[in-house]
Amino acid sequence: MPAEDYWASFFDAHMALRLLMDGETPPDDVVEFGCGYGTFTLPAAERASGVVTALDIEPDMVAAVRDKAAQLGIDNIRAEMRDFIAQGTGLTDGSQAHAMVYNLLHLERPVDLLIEARRVLRVGGRLSVMHWRSDIPTPRGPPLAMRPSPDQCKAWIAEAGFAGSHIVDLRAACPFHFGFIATC
């Protein structure tokens, strides 16, 4: 991960979440795969009426999210160190209203990751996906050749069992990213 200030300069996280959660009543429980610095965790916690489970494999990232939540008096974030690729989320089937998968679908086995997101979502739950664009060079992100296209993401979302998905134009909030919303 780059320095936090540099990383945060790529996103208007509040606007991105408005776009990715557009039309959704405030979700109760939310799971975030790969919380990093909490760029999206903290704004998601402001929107959620339940608990935001923020998962990351890096202990420093989990500690940073916990510290920020404590400093801001946000008590609905549960940050956990977890290798959700190897171990899953540890969450109960159908327990979440919303799953956030941001900047991760270039990892190995992206469909397995989406299947885990689908497993923990309840009927009617929503998945939001964001990824670095593959059609332009960007100041960060994985190499262009590793990045999935929107068409590839749409196919993976369908393969994972989501009922439908549509692309979200994130350029106003995140000019180097595209997004998807999918439903269970």
Side-chain angles (χ1 to χ4, degrees), residues 50-116:
V51 173
V52 175
T53 301
L55 306 174
D56 207 288
I57 196 168
E58 296 294 333
D60 290 345
M61 296 292 105
V62 172
V65 170
R66 286 179 181 158
D67 290 347
K68 286 178 196 166
Q71 289 171 7
L72 295 170
I74 299 172
D75 62 0
N76 66 332
I77 293 173
R78 186 178 69 211
E80 295 181 5
M81 190 177 81
R82 187 106 181 153
D83 182 348
F84 48 80
I85 300 293
Q87 303 166 329
T89 60
L91 297 170
T92 306
D93 293 359
S95 62
Q96 304 298 299
H98 195 106
M100 299 166 30
V101 177
Y102 299 166
N103 301 312
L104 290 176
L105 292 183
H106 61 282
L107 299 175
E108 283 189 46
R109 303 183 354 235
V111 174
D112 290 349
L113 176 61
L114 292 169
I115 288 170
E116 177 64 5

